[in-house]
Amino acid sequence: MLARLLPARAEWRTVSKFVTQPMVALILTAVCFVAGGLLRRRPKVSSWRAVRVLAVAAVVLAAVLVLLANFTVVLPQPLTRLLFFDDQWGSNRGFAWKRLWTVWKDDLTPLQMLFGLGGDAANARLNIDDYSVKYMMLLNGDVFDSAHNEYLQHLICGGVVGLTSWLAFLGLHVRRGLRTAPGLAAAILGYAVQAFFSISMPGVLPLVFVLAALCVKPQPLAARGWYRSLLGLVMAAPPILLLAAV
């Protein structure tokens, strides 16, 4: 609610710009309060099951809206502009994604498709010639040195083997965490969703491994102090890093 009033280092764009609008933020807040109230009035209902149902419904709704925005004209124009995929989609991520997918699909040998091109390959393929650099400057005001999609980045740099390994790491720890620490598993899952639009950052990625470690096994009573201390460090790290970067 305060995101549009507080100073920010970068402008709100795409999804962030949409969800920080006052009316949208109020509606989302109201939905959360209503859901919490219903769960409190029905203590026998599993809150985790309800969250999973809502998550699946949100994914299905998002997929339907994307399909409608790209293949029909039934949605309102503001929503269509937000979801229509072209070179300028997602703060111009569309161009980078299409370019790198074409590189992997058409330009690589079978062995390169399997094991990738190595570190910094996305940067080299995005800025391969003057035309690409000038086009990105025209779209974005700056060049992209990565895919801005961690999964596509893994596919280009590490191939199918690298991408599969990373997905297996995330999936196994989320699956384990759902039984031992659902809140931490949800945090890893949130990172996995955000990674679809972002890059691996040194201020965030180490915390993923800390969260994964905490999901490995249930914490015995004797270790709860250590567990809480580690969890406190994880929660305190983002604001500390933010203050250090200002």
Side-chain angles (χ1 to χ4, degrees), residues 88-135:
Q88 295 179 306
W89 182 87
S91 302
N92 307 314
R93 283 169 172 80
F95 170 76
W97 290 7
K98 290 195 295 185
R99 177 64 177 269
L100 291 176
W101 174 249
T102 301
V103 167
W104 185 84
K105 180 171 61 75
D106 297 336
D107 297 348
L108 304 189
T109 66
L111 190 63
Q112 289 173 330
M113 295 175 73
L114 192 60
F115 294 105
L117 295 172
D120 209 33
N123 180 25
R125 292 307 175 106
L126 283 173
N127 300 291
I128 196 170
D129 52 37
D130 289 340
Y131 169 78
S132 300
V133 172
K134 291 178 180 178
Y135 187 61

mmCIF file of all heavy atoms in Angstrom, residues 88-135:
data_model
loop_
_atom_site.group_PDB
_atom_site.id
_atom_site.type_symbol
_atom_site.label_atom_id
_atom_site.label_comp_id
_atom_site.label_asym_id
_atom_site.label_seq_id
_atom_site.Cartn_x
_atom_site.Cartn_y
_atom_site.Cartn_z
ATOM 1 N N GLN A 88 8.354 -6.235 -26.361
ATOM 2 C CA GLN A 88 8.353 -5.288 -25.256
ATOM 3 C C GLN A 88 7.668 -5.821 -24.004
ATOM 4 O O GLN A 88 7.560 -5.112 -23.013
ATOM 5 C CB GLN A 88 7.679 -3.993 -25.695
ATOM 6 C CG GLN A 88 8.452 -3.261 -26.787
ATOM 7 C CD GLN A 88 7.749 -1.987 -27.234
ATOM 8 O OE1 GLN A 88 6.591 -2.013 -27.605
ATOM 9 N NE2 GLN A 88 8.464 -0.878 -27.183
ATOM 10 N N TRP A 89 7.235 -7.077 -24.040
ATOM 11 C CA TRP A 89 6.546 -7.638 -22.873
ATOM 12 C C TRP A 89 7.485 -7.727 -21.671
ATOM 13 O O TRP A 89 8.668 -8.026 -21.803
ATOM 14 C CB TRP A 89 6.027 -9.047 -23.192
ATOM 15 C CG TRP A 89 5.279 -9.640 -22.033
ATOM 16 C CD1 TRP A 89 3.958 -9.497 -21.740
ATOM 17 C CD2 TRP A 89 5.829 -10.461 -21.003
ATOM 18 N NE1 TRP A 89 3.644 -10.178 -20.601
ATOM 19 C CE2 TRP A 89 4.775 -10.772 -20.115
ATOM 20 C CE3 TRP A 89 7.111 -10.953 -20.741
ATOM 21 C CZ2 TRP A 89 4.960 -11.559 -18.990
ATOM 22 C CZ3 TRP A 89 7.301 -11.730 -19.614
ATOM 23 C CH2 TRP A 89 6.237 -12.035 -18.755
ATOM 24 N N GLY A 90 6.932 -7.469 -20.478
ATOM 25 C CA GLY A 90 7.710 -7.620 -19.258
ATOM 26 C C GLY A 90 8.949 -6.760 -19.227
ATOM 27 O O GLY A 90 10.047 -7.254 -18.970
ATOM 28 N N SER A 91 8.774 -5.462 -19.472
ATOM 29 C CA SER A 91 9.929 -4.548 -19.530
ATOM 30 C C SER A 91 10.955 -5.041 -20.541
ATOM 31 O O SER A 91 12.162 -5.073 -20.264
ATOM 32 C CB SER A 91 10.567 -4.395 -18.142
ATOM 33 O OG SER A 91 9.632 -3.925 -17.205
ATOM 34 N N ASN A 92 10.437 -5.463 -21.692
ATOM 35 C CA ASN A 92 11.250 -5.864 -22.840
ATOM 36 C C ASN A 92 11.958 -7.202 -22.647
ATOM 37 O O ASN A 92 12.928 -7.504 -23.349
ATOM 38 C CB ASN A 92 12.274 -4.774 -23.191
ATOM 39 C CG ASN A 92 11.614 -3.425 -23.385
ATOM 40 O OD1 ASN A 92 10.599 -3.313 -24.056
ATOM 41 N ND2 ASN A 92 12.170 -2.400 -22.765
ATOM 42 N N ARG A 93 11.471 -8.015 -21.734
ATOM 43 C CA ARG A 93 12.004 -9.368 -21.598
ATOM 44 C C ARG A 93 11.646 -10.227 -22.812
ATOM 45 O O ARG A 93 12.326 -11.191 -23.125
ATOM 46 C CB ARG A 93 11.470 -10.033 -20.333
ATOM 47 C CG ARG A 93 12.154 -9.546 -19.054
ATOM 48 C CD ARG A 93 11.402 -10.049 -17.829
ATOM 49 N NE ARG A 93 12.118 -9.777 -16.597
ATOM 50 C CZ ARG A 93 12.129 -8.611 -15.966
ATOM 51 N NH1 ARG A 93 11.470 -7.576 -16.502
ATOM 52 N NH2 ARG A 93 12.783 -8.449 -14.843
ATOM 53 N N GLY A 94 10.541 -9.874 -23.477
ATOM 54 C CA GLY A 94 10.092 -10.686 -24.609
ATOM 55 C C GLY A 94 11.168 -10.848 -25.663
ATOM 56 O O GLY A 94 11.356 -11.945 -26.195
ATOM 57 N N PHE A 95 11.882 -9.773 -25.972
ATOM 58 C CA PHE A 95 12.929 -9.852 -26.990
ATOM 59 C C PHE A 95 14.032 -10.797 -26.557
ATOM 60 O O PHE A 95 14.478 -11.649 -27.329
ATOM 61 C CB PHE A 95 13.518 -8.467 -27.263
ATOM 62 C CG PHE A 95 14.753 -8.499 -28.110
ATOM 63 C CD1 PHE A 95 14.666 -8.707 -29.479
ATOM 64 C CD2 PHE A 95 16.014 -8.341 -27.547
ATOM 65 C CE1 PHE A 95 15.805 -8.750 -30.271
ATOM 66 C CE2 PHE A 95 17.158 -8.373 -28.321
ATOM 67 C CZ PHE A 95 17.054 -8.587 -29.689
ATOM 68 N N ALA A 96 14.497 -10.670 -25.304
ATOM 69 C CA ALA A 96 15.582 -11.516 -24.805
ATOM 70 C C ALA A 96 15.162 -12.976 -24.774
ATOM 71 O O ALA A 96 15.937 -13.875 -25.155
ATOM 72 C CB ALA A 96 16.018 -11.052 -23.418
ATOM 73 N N TRP A 97 13.953 -13.252 -24.347
ATOM 74 C CA TRP A 97 13.487 -14.641 -24.261
ATOM 75 C C TRP A 97 13.395 -15.273 -25.644
ATOM 76 O O TRP A 97 13.849 -16.398 -25.852
ATOM 77 C CB TRP A 97 12.127 -14.692 -23.571
ATOM 78 C CG TRP A 97 12.190 -14.365 -22.110
ATOM 79 C CD1 TRP A 97 13.278 -13.913 -21.403
ATOM 80 C CD2 TRP A 97 11.119 -14.437 -21.185
ATOM 81 N NE1 TRP A 97 12.948 -13.700 -20.095
ATOM 82 C CE2 TRP A 97 11.631 -14.012 -19.920
ATOM 83 C CE3 TRP A 97 9.785 -14.807 -21.273
ATOM 84 C CZ2 TRP A 97 10.834 -13.961 -18.775
ATOM 85 C CZ3 TRP A 97 8.987 -14.754 -20.130
ATOM 86 C CH2 TRP A 97 9.506 -14.343 -18.903
ATOM 87 N N LYS A 98 12.786 -14.543 -26.590
ATOM 88 C CA LYS A 98 12.652 -15.096 -27.937
ATOM 89 C C LYS A 98 14.009 -15.312 -28.586
ATOM 90 O O LYS A 98 14.241 -16.328 -29.259
ATOM 91 C CB LYS A 98 11.779 -14.180 -28.797
ATOM 92 C CG LYS A 98 10.311 -14.176 -28.408
ATOM 93 C CD LYS A 98 9.422 -13.576 -29.478
ATOM 94 C CE LYS A 98 9.704 -12.123 -29.685
ATOM 95 N NZ LYS A 98 8.753 -11.500 -30.644
ATOM 96 N N ARG A 99 14.925 -14.376 -28.381
ATOM 97 C CA ARG A 99 16.252 -14.490 -28.980
ATOM 98 C C ARG A 99 17.003 -15.698 -28.438
ATOM 99 O O ARG A 99 17.582 -16.499 -29.187
ATOM 100 C CB ARG A 99 17.039 -13.203 -28.713
ATOM 101 C CG ARG A 99 18.481 -13.221 -29.231
ATOM 102 C CD ARG A 99 18.504 -13.329 -30.759
ATOM 103 N NE ARG A 99 19.844 -13.283 -31.276
ATOM 104 C CZ ARG A 99 20.476 -12.163 -31.644
ATOM 105 N NH1 ARG A 99 19.856 -11.001 -31.539
ATOM 106 N NH2 ARG A 99 21.687 -12.200 -32.127
ATOM 107 N N LEU A 100 16.995 -15.882 -27.111
ATOM 108 C CA LEU A 100 17.742 -16.985 -26.510
ATOM 109 C C LEU A 100 17.085 -18.334 -26.793
ATOM 110 O O LEU A 100 17.781 -19.340 -26.970
ATOM 111 C CB LEU A 100 17.875 -16.760 -25.003
ATOM 112 C CG LEU A 100 18.785 -15.597 -24.606
ATOM 113 C CD1 LEU A 100 18.775 -15.393 -23.098
ATOM 114 C CD2 LEU A 100 20.215 -15.829 -25.094
ATOM 115 N N TRP A 101 15.773 -18.380 -26.850
ATOM 116 C CA TRP A 101 15.104 -19.635 -27.189
ATOM 117 C C TRP A 101 15.434 -20.036 -28.624
ATOM 118 O O TRP A 101 15.675 -21.210 -28.914
ATOM 119 C CB TRP A 101 13.599 -19.508 -27.016
ATOM 120 C CG TRP A 101 12.839 -20.709 -27.490
ATOM 121 C CD1 TRP A 101 12.021 -20.792 -28.573
ATOM 122 C CD2 TRP A 101 12.864 -22.019 -26.916
ATOM 123 N NE1 TRP A 101 11.506 -22.055 -28.717
ATOM 124 C CE2 TRP A 101 12.020 -22.839 -27.708
ATOM 125 C CE3 TRP A 101 13.505 -22.583 -25.819
ATOM 126 C CZ2 TRP A 101 11.792 -24.183 -27.428
ATOM 127 C CZ3 TRP A 101 13.291 -23.930 -25.542
ATOM 128 C CH2 TRP A 101 12.452 -24.706 -26.335
ATOM 129 N N THR A 102 15.488 -19.061 -29.529
ATOM 130 C CA THR A 102 15.869 -19.345 -30.907
ATOM 131 C C THR A 102 17.307 -19.842 -30.983
ATOM 132 O O THR A 102 17.622 -20.762 -31.751
ATOM 133 C CB THR A 102 15.697 -18.087 -31.778
ATOM 134 O OG1 THR A 102 14.335 -17.657 -31.722
ATOM 135 C CG2 THR A 102 16.072 -18.366 -33.226
ATOM 136 N N VAL A 103 18.187 -19.243 -30.179
ATOM 137 C CA VAL A 103 19.579 -19.687 -30.144
ATOM 138 C C VAL A 103 19.659 -21.150 -29.710
ATOM 139 O O VAL A 103 20.346 -21.965 -30.348
ATOM 140 C CB VAL A 103 20.411 -18.795 -29.187
ATOM 141 C CG1 VAL A 103 21.770 -19.424 -28.896
ATOM 142 C CG2 VAL A 103 20.609 -17.412 -29.795
ATOM 143 N N TRP A 104 18.978 -21.500 -28.632
ATOM 144 C CA TRP A 104 19.043 -22.886 -28.132
ATOM 145 C C TRP A 104 18.420 -23.862 -29.126
ATOM 146 O O TRP A 104 18.946 -24.946 -29.358
ATOM 147 C CB TRP A 104 18.322 -22.991 -26.787
ATOM 148 C CG TRP A 104 18.459 -24.358 -26.167
ATOM 149 C CD1 TRP A 104 19.495 -24.821 -25.411
ATOM 150 C CD2 TRP A 104 17.527 -25.434 -26.285
ATOM 151 N NE1 TRP A 104 19.268 -26.127 -25.041
ATOM 152 C CE2 TRP A 104 18.064 -26.535 -25.571
ATOM 153 C CE3 TRP A 104 16.296 -25.594 -26.916
ATOM 154 C CZ2 TRP A 104 17.406 -27.754 -25.462
ATOM 155 C CZ3 TRP A 104 15.640 -26.811 -26.821
ATOM 156 C CH2 TRP A 104 16.191 -27.872 -26.099
ATOM 157 N N LYS A 105 17.319 -23.452 -29.742
ATOM 158 C CA LYS A 105 16.572 -24.359 -30.615
ATOM 159 C C LYS A 105 17.222 -24.542 -31.975
ATOM 160 O O LYS A 105 17.213 -25.652 -32.523
ATOM 161 C CB LYS A 105 15.137 -23.826 -30.772
ATOM 162 C CG LYS A 105 14.214 -24.652 -31.651
ATOM 163 C CD LYS A 105 12.787 -24.144 -31.552
ATOM 164 C CE LYS A 105 12.672 -22.715 -32.007
ATOM 165 N NZ LYS A 105 12.743 -22.586 -33.476
ATOM 166 N N ASP A 106 17.814 -23.470 -32.519
ATOM 167 C CA ASP A 106 18.259 -23.510 -33.912
ATOM 168 C C ASP A 106 19.778 -23.482 -34.098
ATOM 169 O O ASP A 106 20.270 -23.942 -35.125
ATOM 170 C CB ASP A 106 17.660 -22.320 -34.690
ATOM 171 C CG ASP A 106 16.143 -22.370 -34.742
ATOM 172 O OD1 ASP A 106 15.587 -23.477 -34.613
ATOM 173 O OD2 ASP A 106 15.519 -21.301 -34.910
ATOM 174 N N ASP A 107 20.509 -22.923 -33.132
ATOM 175 C CA ASP A 107 21.933 -22.667 -33.371
ATOM 176 C C ASP A 107 22.880 -23.649 -32.686
ATOM 177 O O ASP A 107 24.070 -23.662 -33.009
ATOM 178 C CB ASP A 107 22.304 -21.245 -32.900
ATOM 179 C CG ASP A 107 21.568 -20.177 -33.691
ATOM 180 O OD1 ASP A 107 20.958 -20.526 -34.726
ATOM 181 O OD2 ASP A 107 21.590 -19.000 -33.265
ATOM 182 N N LEU A 108 22.397 -24.441 -31.739
ATOM 183 C CA LEU A 108 23.287 -25.291 -30.955
ATOM 184 C C LEU A 108 23.339 -26.706 -31.510
ATOM 185 O O LEU A 108 22.380 -27.205 -32.103
ATOM 186 C CB LEU A 108 22.844 -25.335 -29.485
ATOM 187 C CG LEU A 108 22.712 -24.000 -28.761
ATOM 188 C CD1 LEU A 108 22.492 -24.249 -27.274
ATOM 189 C CD2 LEU A 108 23.918 -23.107 -28.991
ATOM 190 N N THR A 109 24.471 -27.348 -31.278
ATOM 191 C CA THR A 109 24.604 -28.764 -31.620
ATOM 192 C C THR A 109 23.888 -29.599 -30.557
ATOM 193 O O THR A 109 23.606 -29.106 -29.446
ATOM 194 C CB THR A 109 26.081 -29.158 -31.667
ATOM 195 O OG1 THR A 109 26.632 -29.051 -30.343
ATOM 196 C CG2 THR A 109 26.859 -28.256 -32.620
ATOM 197 N N PRO A 110 23.585 -30.867 -30.833
ATOM 198 C CA PRO A 110 22.943 -31.710 -29.810
ATOM 199 C C PRO A 110 23.727 -31.753 -28.499
ATOM 200 O O PRO A 110 23.133 -31.739 -27.412
ATOM 201 C CB PRO A 110 22.882 -33.080 -30.480
ATOM 202 C CG PRO A 110 22.802 -32.771 -31.941
ATOM 203 C CD PRO A 110 23.670 -31.557 -32.128
ATOM 204 N N LEU A 111 25.050 -31.804 -28.584
ATOM 205 C CA LEU A 111 25.854 -31.833 -27.359
ATOM 206 C C LEU A 111 25.734 -30.515 -26.595
ATOM 207 O O LEU A 111 25.649 -30.512 -25.354
ATOM 208 C CB LEU A 111 27.321 -32.111 -27.711
ATOM 209 C CG LEU A 111 28.254 -32.398 -26.525
ATOM 210 C CD1 LEU A 111 27.820 -33.669 -25.809
ATOM 211 C CD2 LEU A 111 29.702 -32.526 -27.011
ATOM 212 N N GLN A 112 25.707 -29.382 -27.306
ATOM 213 C CA GLN A 112 25.544 -28.090 -26.648
ATOM 214 C C GLN A 112 24.146 -27.938 -26.052
ATOM 215 O O GLN A 112 23.983 -27.351 -24.978
ATOM 216 C CB GLN A 112 25.815 -26.959 -27.640
ATOM 217 C CG GLN A 112 27.277 -26.820 -28.042
ATOM 218 C CD GLN A 112 27.477 -25.807 -29.159
ATOM 219 O OE1 GLN A 112 26.594 -25.602 -29.997
ATOM 220 N NE2 GLN A 112 28.642 -25.173 -29.176
ATOM 221 N N MET A 113 23.141 -28.464 -26.740
ATOM 222 C CA MET A 113 21.789 -28.425 -26.190
ATOM 223 C C MET A 113 21.715 -29.213 -24.892
ATOM 224 O O MET A 113 20.978 -28.854 -23.973
ATOM 225 C CB MET A 113 20.792 -28.976 -27.205
ATOM 226 C CG MET A 113 20.667 -28.135 -28.469
ATOM 227 S SD MET A 113 19.599 -28.882 -29.715
ATOM 228 C CE MET A 113 17.992 -28.622 -28.997
ATOM 229 N N LEU A 114 22.524 -30.261 -24.790
ATOM 230 C CA LEU A 114 22.493 -31.123 -23.612
ATOM 231 C C LEU A 114 23.254 -30.509 -22.443
ATOM 232 O O LEU A 114 22.784 -30.546 -21.299
ATOM 233 C CB LEU A 114 23.076 -32.488 -23.962
ATOM 234 C CG LEU A 114 22.863 -33.613 -22.947
ATOM 235 C CD1 LEU A 114 21.380 -33.877 -22.732
ATOM 236 C CD2 LEU A 114 23.570 -34.883 -23.416
ATOM 237 N N PHE A 115 24.442 -29.912 -22.713
ATOM 238 C CA PHE A 115 25.297 -29.422 -21.632
ATOM 239 C C PHE A 115 25.487 -27.901 -21.634
ATOM 240 O O PHE A 115 26.173 -27.373 -20.761
ATOM 241 C CB PHE A 115 26.672 -30.102 -21.713
ATOM 242 C CG PHE A 115 26.625 -31.574 -21.451
ATOM 243 C CD1 PHE A 115 26.738 -32.483 -22.484
ATOM 244 C CD2 PHE A 115 26.447 -32.049 -20.156
ATOM 245 C CE1 PHE A 115 26.688 -33.843 -22.244
ATOM 246 C CE2 PHE A 115 26.389 -33.408 -19.905
ATOM 247 C CZ PHE A 115 26.514 -34.310 -20.945
ATOM 248 N N GLY A 116 24.928 -27.189 -22.598
ATOM 249 C CA GLY A 116 24.982 -25.743 -22.591
ATOM 250 C C GLY A 116 26.259 -25.165 -23.167
ATOM 251 O O GLY A 116 27.160 -25.879 -23.606
ATOM 252 N N LEU A 117 26.332 -23.835 -23.122
ATOM 253 C CA LEU A 117 27.455 -23.098 -23.700
ATOM 254 C C LEU A 117 28.412 -22.555 -22.640
ATOM 255 O O LEU A 117 29.394 -21.907 -22.985
ATOM 256 C CB LEU A 117 26.929 -21.928 -24.535
ATOM 257 C CG LEU A 117 26.109 -22.302 -25.774
ATOM 258 C CD1 LEU A 117 25.491 -21.055 -26.391
ATOM 259 C CD2 LEU A 117 26.960 -23.023 -26.788
ATOM 260 N N GLY A 118 28.119 -22.771 -21.363
ATOM 261 C CA GLY A 118 29.006 -22.276 -20.317
ATOM 262 C C GLY A 118 28.581 -20.927 -19.785
ATOM 263 O O GLY A 118 27.645 -20.282 -20.285
ATOM 264 N N GLY A 119 29.265 -20.482 -18.748
ATOM 265 C CA GLY A 119 28.928 -19.228 -18.089
ATOM 266 C C GLY A 119 29.028 -18.024 -19.020
ATOM 267 O O GLY A 119 29.868 -17.966 -19.912
ATOM 268 N N ASP A 120 28.146 -17.046 -18.817
ATOM 269 C CA ASP A 120 28.093 -15.795 -19.572
ATOM 270 C C ASP A 120 27.703 -15.994 -21.036
ATOM 271 O O ASP A 120 27.848 -15.082 -21.850
ATOM 272 C CB ASP A 120 29.439 -15.058 -19.499
ATOM 273 C CG ASP A 120 29.266 -13.547 -19.626
ATOM 274 O OD1 ASP A 120 28.241 -13.029 -19.160
ATOM 275 O OD2 ASP A 120 30.144 -12.892 -20.199
ATOM 276 N N ALA A 121 27.192 -17.192 -21.358
ATOM 277 C CA ALA A 121 26.796 -17.440 -22.747
ATOM 278 C C ALA A 121 25.589 -16.599 -23.149
ATOM 279 O O ALA A 121 25.480 -16.169 -24.298
ATOM 280 C CB ALA A 121 26.494 -18.924 -22.946
ATOM 281 N N ALA A 122 24.676 -16.359 -22.206
ATOM 282 C CA ALA A 122 23.493 -15.562 -22.537
ATOM 283 C C ALA A 122 23.881 -14.144 -22.929
ATOM 284 O O ALA A 122 23.351 -13.585 -23.888
ATOM 285 C CB ALA A 122 22.529 -15.548 -21.349
ATOM 286 N N ASN A 123 24.825 -13.570 -22.202
ATOM 287 C CA ASN A 123 25.297 -12.225 -22.525
ATOM 288 C C ASN A 123 25.911 -12.189 -23.918
ATOM 289 O O ASN A 123 25.633 -11.294 -24.722
ATOM 290 C CB ASN A 123 26.323 -11.781 -21.472
ATOM 291 C CG ASN A 123 26.854 -10.382 -21.739
ATOM 292 O OD1 ASN A 123 26.204 -9.565 -22.375
ATOM 293 N ND2 ASN A 123 28.052 -10.116 -21.259
ATOM 294 N N ALA A 124 26.738 -13.193 -24.225
ATOM 295 C CA ALA A 124 27.410 -13.220 -25.527
ATOM 296 C C ALA A 124 26.404 -13.366 -26.664
ATOM 297 O O ALA A 124 26.574 -12.756 -27.735
ATOM 298 C CB ALA A 124 28.420 -14.364 -25.560
ATOM 299 N N ARG A 125 25.356 -14.155 -26.462
ATOM 300 C CA ARG A 125 24.386 -14.377 -27.539
ATOM 301 C C ARG A 125 23.373 -13.244 -27.654
ATOM 302 O O ARG A 125 22.825 -13.023 -28.725
ATOM 303 C CB ARG A 125 23.675 -15.715 -27.320
ATOM 304 C CG ARG A 125 24.579 -16.927 -27.503
ATOM 305 C CD ARG A 125 25.287 -16.885 -28.846
ATOM 306 N NE ARG A 125 26.233 -17.955 -29.029
ATOM 307 C CZ ARG A 125 26.033 -19.019 -29.822
ATOM 308 N NH1 ARG A 125 24.904 -19.125 -30.480
ATOM 309 N NH2 ARG A 125 26.955 -19.940 -29.941
ATOM 310 N N LEU A 126 23.096 -12.531 -26.565
ATOM 311 C CA LEU A 126 22.186 -11.389 -26.657
ATOM 312 C C LEU A 126 22.857 -10.180 -27.300
ATOM 313 O O LEU A 126 22.214 -9.408 -27.999
ATOM 314 C CB LEU A 126 21.681 -11.010 -25.253
ATOM 315 C CG LEU A 126 20.597 -11.900 -24.657
ATOM 316 C CD1 LEU A 126 20.325 -11.506 -23.218
ATOM 317 C CD2 LEU A 126 19.313 -11.827 -25.476
ATOM 318 N N ASN A 127 24.152 -10.016 -27.059
ATOM 319 C CA ASN A 127 24.884 -8.867 -27.585
ATOM 320 C C ASN A 127 25.864 -9.324 -28.666
ATOM 321 O O ASN A 127 27.039 -8.955 -28.659
ATOM 322 C CB ASN A 127 25.629 -8.166 -26.442
ATOM 323 C CG ASN A 127 24.684 -7.680 -25.364
ATOM 324 O OD1 ASN A 127 23.917 -6.753 -25.577
ATOM 325 N ND2 ASN A 127 24.712 -8.311 -24.213
ATOM 326 N N ILE A 128 25.340 -10.107 -29.586
ATOM 327 C CA ILE A 128 26.206 -10.759 -30.563
ATOM 328 C C ILE A 128 26.621 -9.821 -31.691
ATOM 329 O O ILE A 128 27.636 -10.031 -32.350
ATOM 330 C CB ILE A 128 25.506 -12.017 -31.126
ATOM 331 C CG1 ILE A 128 26.509 -12.926 -31.826
ATOM 332 C CG2 ILE A 128 24.346 -11.635 -32.030
ATOM 333 C CD1 ILE A 128 25.942 -14.280 -32.185
ATOM 334 N N ASP A 129 25.846 -8.762 -31.949
ATOM 335 C CA ASP A 129 26.192 -7.835 -33.022
ATOM 336 C C ASP A 129 25.647 -6.449 -32.697
ATOM 337 O O ASP A 129 24.907 -6.260 -31.725
ATOM 338 C CB ASP A 129 25.643 -8.323 -34.371
ATOM 339 C CG ASP A 129 24.155 -8.652 -34.317
ATOM 340 O OD1 ASP A 129 23.415 -7.938 -33.609
ATOM 341 O OD2 ASP A 129 23.737 -9.621 -34.969
ATOM 342 N N ASP A 130 26.027 -5.466 -33.510
ATOM 343 C CA ASP A 130 25.629 -4.079 -33.260
ATOM 344 C C ASP A 130 24.116 -3.900 -33.362
ATOM 345 O O ASP A 130 23.533 -3.110 -32.617
ATOM 346 C CB ASP A 130 26.322 -3.139 -34.259
ATOM 347 C CG ASP A 130 27.812 -3.015 -33.990
ATOM 348 O OD1 ASP A 130 28.229 -3.330 -32.860
ATOM 349 O OD2 ASP A 130 28.552 -2.612 -34.915
ATOM 350 N N TYR A 131 23.484 -4.647 -34.266
ATOM 351 C CA TYR A 131 22.034 -4.509 -34.430
ATOM 352 C C TYR A 131 21.317 -4.909 -33.145
ATOM 353 O O TYR A 131 20.397 -4.218 -32.692
ATOM 354 C CB TYR A 131 21.543 -5.376 -35.591
ATOM 355 C CG TYR A 131 20.045 -5.477 -35.655
ATOM 356 C CD1 TYR A 131 19.277 -4.434 -36.177
ATOM 357 C CD2 TYR A 131 19.389 -6.611 -35.171
ATOM 358 C CE1 TYR A 131 17.888 -4.522 -36.210
ATOM 359 C CE2 TYR A 131 18.015 -6.703 -35.207
ATOM 360 C CZ TYR A 131 17.262 -5.662 -35.724
ATOM 361 O OH TYR A 131 15.901 -5.747 -35.753
ATOM 362 N N SER A 132 21.726 -6.036 -32.543
ATOM 363 C CA SER A 132 21.082 -6.499 -31.317
ATOM 364 C C SER A 132 21.266 -5.497 -30.192
ATOM 365 O O SER A 132 20.328 -5.211 -29.430
ATOM 366 C CB SER A 132 21.660 -7.858 -30.908
ATOM 367 O OG SER A 132 21.450 -8.823 -31.918
ATOM 368 N N VAL A 133 22.474 -4.964 -30.063
ATOM 369 C CA VAL A 133 22.745 -3.992 -28.999
ATOM 370 C C VAL A 133 21.890 -2.737 -29.200
ATOM 371 O O VAL A 133 21.264 -2.229 -28.260
ATOM 372 C CB VAL A 133 24.242 -3.637 -28.964
ATOM 373 C CG1 VAL A 133 24.500 -2.497 -27.991
ATOM 374 C CG2 VAL A 133 25.077 -4.859 -28.590
ATOM 375 N N LYS A 134 21.847 -2.217 -30.425
ATOM 376 C CA LYS A 134 21.080 -1.005 -30.695
ATOM 377 C C LYS A 134 19.585 -1.236 -30.500
ATOM 378 O O LYS A 134 18.872 -0.359 -29.997
ATOM 379 C CB LYS A 134 21.358 -0.525 -32.122
ATOM 380 C CG LYS A 134 22.773 0.010 -32.322
ATOM 381 C CD LYS A 134 23.006 0.422 -33.765
ATOM 382 C CE LYS A 134 24.411 0.964 -33.963
ATOM 383 N NZ LYS A 134 24.680 1.327 -35.378
ATOM 384 N N TYR A 135 19.103 -2.434 -30.875
ATOM 385 C CA TYR A 135 17.678 -2.719 -30.726
ATOM 386 C C TYR A 135 17.297 -2.788 -29.247
ATOM 387 O O TYR A 135 16.255 -2.258 -28.837
ATOM 388 C CB TYR A 135 17.340 -4.038 -31.419
ATOM 389 C CG TYR A 135 15.853 -4.332 -31.457
ATOM 390 C CD1 TYR A 135 14.982 -3.478 -32.116
ATOM 391 C CD2 TYR A 135 15.336 -5.466 -30.839
ATOM 392 C CE1 TYR A 135 13.627 -3.741 -32.159
ATOM 393 C CE2 TYR A 135 13.978 -5.735 -30.878
ATOM 394 C CZ TYR A 135 13.135 -4.869 -31.542
ATOM 395 O OH TYR A 135 11.789 -5.124 -31.587
#
